[in-house]
Amino acid sequence: MRTEGEASGPPLEPGDFVQLPVPIIQQLYHWDCGLACSRMVLRYLGQLDDSEFESALQELRLTRSIWTIDLAYLMRHFGVRHRFCTQTLGVDKGYKNQSFYRKHFDTEETRVNQLFAQAKACKVLVEKRRNVQHQHQ
C-alpha cells in the first residue's frame, strides 16, 4: 500500500514492500472504518475474539465517535505493540465544521484531548510527526 505522498514519488522497487495476508473485514456502518481496520489487524495477529473485542469497546467506552487515539488505546488494550504518529497532538479543530462531528464536537474535544494527555501514563505511544516521504538512497 502506498501513501498519497509516495504515489507521486519514484516507482516501488522489488523488495520495497511486504504483502501480508490480512483478512478483510467489512465495515458495518458508515462511521466504523477504524474499528473494522482494528479487527483486521487483531485477526491477522491471531488475537481477535469477537466477544473480547466487544467487551473492550465497552470498557474503553467506544461508541459511534471513534477517533484515531481511541484505536491506539484499543491496540494497547490487546497488547499490540505500535506507535501512533500524528500531525496534531489533540483534536484537529478543522473537524469542528464537518457534519459528522459538529453535534458533539465540544464534548468529544475534551475527551480526546484527555486521551492524548494521559497517553504516556497509559503506555500508549504517541509521536508528533509531519508527513515524511520515503526517499531512495
Side-chain angles (χ1 to χ4, degrees), residues 32-51:
D32 70 336
C33 54
L35 293 179
C37 291
S38 297
R39 284 181 185 265
M40 288 189 277
V41 168
L42 292 167
R43 183 158 298 156
Y44 168 76
L45 295 173
Q47 297 184 24
L48 183 64
D49 172 278
D50 286 328
S51 62

Side-chain angles (χ1 to χ4, degrees):
M1 189 179 301
R2 299 179 81 176
T3 64
E4 278 185 39
E6 292 170 331
S8 61
L12 291 174
E13 300 292 328
D16 277 355
F17 63 94
V18 175
Q19 188 169 354
L20 303 173
V22 176
I24 296 172
I25 297 177
Q26 191 169 351
Q27 289 177 233
L28 299 175
Y29 309 99
H30 71 281
W31 53 265
D32 70 336
C33 54
L35 293 179
C37 291
S38 297
R39 284 181 185 265
M40 288 189 277
V41 168
L42 292 167
R43 183 158 298 156
Y44 168 76
L45 295 173
Q47 297 184 24
L48 183 64
D49 172 278
D50 286 328
S51 62
E52 285 179 38
F53 190 81
E54 293 303 322
S55 74
L57 296 182
Q58 287 180 355
E59 187 177 324
L60 296 170
R61 294 190 207 100
L62 301 183
T63 56
R64 283 185 57 155
S65 184
I66 307 293
W67 294 70
T68 311
I69 188 72
D70 290 313
L71 303 176
Y73 275 80
L74 183 61
M75 290 295 119
R76 174 70 181 102
H77 177 88
F78 284 100
V80 176
R81 284 184 56 208
H82 69 285
R83 176 185 319 249
F84 170 34
C85 298
T86 178
Q87 293 183 49
T88 309
L89 292 174
V91 169
D92 181 340
K93 299 262 191 200
Y95 290 114
K96 186 169 189 156
N97 295 320
Q98 291 187 14
S99 60
F100 181 80
Y101 296 101
R102 192 177 302 135
K103 189 175 180 183
H104 301 288
F105 187 85
D106 294 332
T107 53
E108 282 297 287
E109 181 178 25
T110 301
R111 182 186 74 79
V112 169
N113 285 336
Q114 283 178 337
L115 290 174
F116 274 97
Q118 298 165 354
K120 188 173 184 180
C122 294
K123 296 184 169 63
V124 174
L125 190 55
V126 178
E127 185 176 313
K128 183 173 181 171
R129 275 197 188 180
R130 293 173 37 103
N131 286 343
V132 180
Q133 288 190 3
H134 176 73
Q135 295 180 344
H136 291 279
Q137 295 190 6

